Amino acid sequence: SISYEIPVASHVVLTIYGLLGNEIKTLVDKQESSGIKTVVWDATNQINETVGTGVYLYQIQAGKFVQTKNVLLVK
């Protein structure tokens, strides 16, 4: 699961990427109210195929704010 905080209501996009920059799955793409949010990644890609154990990146965009972090997927 990935937790994040939105200080003001805005359009939020949270996407998982492979280490080479390939898009794996978009978990959030919607208008959200302010507050602490949590989204669960079920370790699948856009076509619901299971992805392998390893390091992935997730990027969150909320308004003009953009941040990228690592996530370790362990099965």
Side-chain angles (χ1 to χ4, degrees):
S1 64
I2 299 170
S3 296
Y4 55 95
E5 184 173 2
I6 305 298
V8 295
S10 58
H11 186 261
V12 176
V13 178
L14 193 150
T15 306
I16 304 290
Y17 293 94
L19 286 178
L20 299 177
N22 53 319
E23 186 174 325
I24 304 295
K25 189 169 192 172
T26 299
L27 302 179
V28 178
D29 187 1
K30 64 182 179 180
Q31 184 73 22
E32 290 197 325
S33 59
S34 62
I36 297 173
K37 313 291 181 182
T38 301
V39 64
V40 176
W41 179 32
D42 61 0
T44 61
N45 60 19
Q46 293 287 51
I47 57 174
N48 293 322
E49 296 174 330
T50 303
V51 297
T53 297
V55 178
Y56 293 86
L57 303 172
Y58 72 89
Q59 183 177 73
I60 185 166
Q61 300 175 348
K64 293 182 180 183
F65 174 80
V66 177
Q67 184 176 50
T68 304
K69 290 189 173 187
N70 295 331
V71 62
L72 177 61
L73 175 64
V74 179
K75 295 182 184 182

